[in-house]
Amino acid sequence: MIEHVLFFFAHNPLLMLFAVVALGYPISKIRIAGASFGIASILFAGIALGALVMAPGLDPGLKKDISKEMKLVYELGLAVFVYAMGLSISHSFWAAFSREGMKKNAVVFLVMLASTGFVVLLAHLMGFNARYAAGLLTGSFTNMPALAGVIERVKTMTGVGPVELAQPTVASAIAYPIGVLVPMLIIMVSAKVFRVNLKEEADGLKDYQTGHQKLEVWTVRVTRPEAEALSKHDIRSPQNLHVVFGRVLRKAELLIPGTDFRLKVDDLVTVVGAPEDLQKVEALIGERSHVELDRDQSALDATRVFVSRWDVVGVPLRKLDLINQYGAIVTRVRRGDLWFVPDGDTVLELGDRVRVTTRRDNIEAIEEFFGDSYRDLSEVSFLTFAMGLAAGLALGQLPIPLSHGIIFKLGFAGGPLAAALVLGRFHRIGPLVWNFPYSANHTIRQFGLVLFAAGIGVISGEGFRAIVSKNASVLPLFMGAAFLVCFMADSLTMVLGYKVFRIPLNVMFGILAGTHTQPVVLGYANHQTGNELPNVGFATVYPLATILKIVLAQVLLALIT
């Protein structure tokens, strides 16, 4: 019976592909001690089913056809995944070039260089070839785009058969669980090792938390005469306060404060922001009032609308000029699961949910201005998607000469990623909007990653079976090597970040998770700290960590002979 099922799969590769997804996806949701393998479970399922289907007795021509079809599948999945991912992280990537971001990314840069050198050393000591070593690096840092880049590079080498092509995948698959568990272990013990009270440290890091806490609305009465000389810019800029002034009650008249609006003594003003910023505003202009001015809907009202109109995307809020056109002001923006306070430089994206304060008779006009359409949000501009992805694929095939005659290509992983980071930075060029809604981006990323994991797993199944059958010690050997790599890298990350660069431990946990580009580790870090400070470190270093792994894993192939 089993032989008939496997034979049926062999003659229906597309069916086999989705059978792999159906087998692996439920396993990805199983949590052990708070950890799960995520999409890697589909890779494991693909290896297992591929090893069974691509048996020695299967017709060689049929094997070749299956490999060709799965190759197209995983290349498509990879390109779609990294392009969508690049668009989603482009803002964090360019923001990382700030002074604080450079410090965090310096940790990742030094750790990844040291880890690559350590893998080279282990390869010489343990007798790994370059393909195993590159797979060990990608698996230890749980990065599938880097693994794809390695596989693409290996295919260009002479004398590569199914076994050689499977070697990086096998090493990566074995190392992957270690790359999830070891950083969680380091997070668990770091606070005790460094003798840090995480809650007390977090309480003193209000600046890091701005924009990551639940926003509040306070009504403040202006009591300080010196406040009359201050504009909104004068209040926010000196202390880098992320707040918005929503409405002002002045002598029984409700007003929307414009750009040059100045307060007067006895004004009641609503201020939106994180609690620590609101406290600073209160100290600067007056005292908090018990009047809940934001609930007064007699003349002004607030509405929440979805950004679905293409014309407002990629344009700074100040250029939309809402205060003069509609007598309206955007008081907060929700992107994904995060609320944040906008300013004049904030650029809206499709799918953002904005809260707008305006006159009651303007509500309908505001909804029309922003679009507020669920249907439009579910649509993706496949014109710009195809143009951007095609540009990335073309960029990935450009040869880049390195030293010693080495020719490097960004490939199906690096090319689309580089194109997405650039296009996402500009948001739009003329009428062409490059980003697409958050929910659509997330779905496309997941679908692409699923296709890649399933396709590469099936292709590697035959080689995995051959490798394990010839050398039963390969499993404990690579698990031990992965543990050494992760322990060295993660310990170095914590020492460099906390001791050398003086980055708070709460934030360092996110940097550690970002170094592994591992959301599971980030979730564990948030649980251990009881706050969202790890998100700050994760978002800052994730783009560079991804790019470094793609590049260094391929460089590793050239370093080991």
Side-chain angles (χ1 to χ4, degrees):
M1 176 65 180
I2 295 179
E3 292 182 356
H4 289 294
V5 173
L6 296 177
F7 183 80
F8 183 66
F9 278 146
H11 285 79
N12 296 274
L14 191 60
L15 173 62
M16 178 168 59
L17 175 75
F18 286 99
V20 167
V21 177
L23 289 170
Y25 200 79
I27 301 174
S28 72
K29 298 302 180 182
I30 298 175
R31 292 187 172 273
I32 301 174
S36 67
F37 295 128
I39 297 296
S41 299
I42 297 176
L43 174 65
F44 302 150
I47 291 174
L49 192 56
L52 293 172
V53 172
M54 308 278 272
L58 190 66
D59 178 64
L62 185 55
K63 284 185 182 181
K64 186 176 180 180
D65 290 340
I66 293 174
S67 296
K68 185 182 297 184
E69 293 184 29
M70 290 299 168
K71 175 178 178 291
L72 180 61
V73 166
Y74 86 69
E75 286 180 348
L76 171 64
L78 172 67
V80 167
F81 167 70
V82 295
Y83 180 72
M85 180 187 67
L87 290 176
S88 70
I89 66 175
S90 60
H91 176 74
S92 298
F93 175 77
W94 297 108
F97 290 99
S98 66
R99 181 178 178 182
E100 192 65 32
M102 292 290 284
K103 188 166 65 172
K104 296 183 182 76
N105 279 288
V107 175
V108 175
F109 182 77
L110 294 173
V111 168
M112 288 308 306
L113 286 182
S115 300
T116 304
F118 188 64
V119 170
V120 173
L121 177 62
L122 282 181
H124 286 298
L125 293 176
M126 296 184 172
F128 299 156
N129 62 33
R131 296 178 293 277
Y132 278 134
L136 175 64
L137 183 70
T138 63
S140 298
F141 289 96
T142 66
N143 194 267
M144 287 191 178
L147 172 62
V150 170
I151 292 170
E152 187 179 349
R153 179 70 176 169
V154 169
K155 288 188 302 184
T156 65
M157 298 178 176
T158 57
V160 172
V163 173
E164 289 76 16
L165 187 60
Q167 286 173 345
T169 304
V170 171
S172 183
I174 295 173
Y176 193 102
I178 307 299
V180 175
L181 296 175
V182 171
M184 294 170 66
L185 175 65
I186 295 295
I187 289 173
M188 184 188 302
V189 303
S190 288
K192 294 181 180 179
V193 170
F194 293 118
R195 299 180 181 178
V196 175
N197 185 308
L198 294 173
K199 186 179 185 307
E200 290 182 0
E201 183 189 67
D203 289 341
L205 298 173
K206 301 303 183 182
D207 289 341
Y208 277 93
Q209 299 186 61
T210 299
H212 293 270
Q213 301 295 313
K214 183 178 180 180
L215 300 179
E216 296 183 4
V217 183
W218 288 13
T219 300
V220 179
R221 181 179 296 277
V222 181
T223 60
R224 296 182 177 274
E226 59 268 27
E228 292 192 348
L230 303 176
S231 67
K232 293 192 299 182
H233 177 78
D234 295 332
I235 295 173
R236 291 182 300 201
S237 294
Q239 299 187 60
N240 193 30
L241 300 180
H242 297 273
V243 296
V244 168
F245 295 90
R247 61 184 80 184
V248 177
L249 179 62
R250 176 177 295 170
K251 296 180 180 180
E253 182 182 6
L254 280 171
L255 307 171
I256 297 290
T259 305
D260 299 322
F261 186 87
R262 293 182 184 273
L263 299 171
K264 292 185 177 181
V265 172
D266 287 334
D267 281 351
L268 285 177
V269 55
T270 60
V271 190
V272 183
E276 59 274 11
D277 282 347
L278 297 179
Q279 291 171 4
K280 294 177 181 178
V281 172
E282 178 189 11
L284 192 63
I285 67 173
E287 60 186 24
R288 186 174 182 182
S289 172
H290 295 294
V291 176
E292 295 182 333
L293 188 59
D294 58 304
R295 296 183 180 274
D296 186 349
Q297 300 179 358
S298 58
L300 300 178
D301 202 353
T303 182
R304 293 178 179 178
V305 295
F306 285 98
V307 178
S308 62
R309 184 165 165 255
W310 294 88
D311 291 348
V312 303
V313 173
V315 181
L317 276 178
R318 65 166 48 88
K319 290 189 176 181
L320 294 179
D321 198 22
L322 291 173
I323 190 69
N324 291 320
Q325 288 195 66
Y326 298 98
I329 187 170
V330 176
T331 59
R332 68 203 84 169
V333 178
R334 180 163 185 160
R335 183 167 297 159
D337 294 329
L338 174 68
W339 282 105
F340 64 90
V341 174
D343 57 27
D345 295 323
T346 298
V347 174
L348 297 178
E349 297 181 5
L350 288 171
D352 284 350
R353 189 179 184 186
V354 298
R355 185 174 176 90
V356 184
T357 299
T358 187
R359 297 191 312 274
R360 299 192 69 182
D361 56 0
N362 269 347
I363 296 294
E364 186 175 342
I366 288 294
E367 292 174 347
E368 183 179 350
F369 178 79
F370 285 104
D372 201 32
S373 170
Y374 282 99
R375 186 187 66 183
D376 291 347
L377 283 177
S378 65
E379 297 177 356
V380 176
S381 172
F382 284 101
L383 171 62
T384 55
F385 180 77
M387 290 174 63
L389 187 53
L393 291 171
L395 179 63
Q397 298 308 305
L398 291 178
I400 303 173
L402 302 177
S403 61
H404 305 292
I406 300 174
I407 300 297
F408 169 74
K409 291 183 179 180
L410 291 173
F412 285 93
L417 178 59
L421 290 173
V422 173
L423 294 175
R425 171 67 177 83
F426 291 104
H427 294 285
R428 68 186 301 153
I429 298 176
L432 300 176
V433 177
W434 302 104
N435 289 307
F436 40 93
Y438 176 90
S439 57
N441 185 295
H442 183 75
T443 300
I444 289 173
R445 289 203 315 266
Q446 288 293 102
F447 185 65
L449 194 54
V450 163
L451 290 182
F452 168 72
I456 199 62
V458 170
I459 288 178
S460 303
E462 181 183 11
F464 180 83
R465 185 190 63 250
I467 292 169
V468 174
S469 63
K470 290 180 181 178
N471 187 1
S473 65
V474 68
L475 183 63
L477 186 65
F478 278 111
M479 289 183 69
F483 178 84
L484 291 175
V485 172
C486 292
F487 186 80
M488 183 283 300
D490 296 346
S491 300
L492 181 61
T493 300
M494 300 308 296
V495 171
L496 277 177
Y498 184 69
K499 288 295 187 180
V500 178
F501 288 97
R502 303 296 181 183
I503 301 172
L505 201 62
N506 280 268
V507 179
M508 278 307 306
F509 288 168
I511 292 176
L512 182 62
T515 303
H516 284 263
T517 52
Q518 183 49 252
V520 172
V521 179
L522 177 63
Y524 182 76
N526 285 329
H527 176 74
Q528 288 294 105
T529 60
N531 58 59
E532 296 184 351
L533 281 168
N535 293 347
V536 179
F538 185 86
T540 304
V541 305
Y542 183 94
L544 179 65
T546 299
I547 294 170
L548 279 176
K549 291 171 194 177
I550 292 173
V551 173
L552 291 176
Q554 295 182 59
V555 170
L556 195 60
L557 292 171
L559 292 178
I560 302 175
T561 56

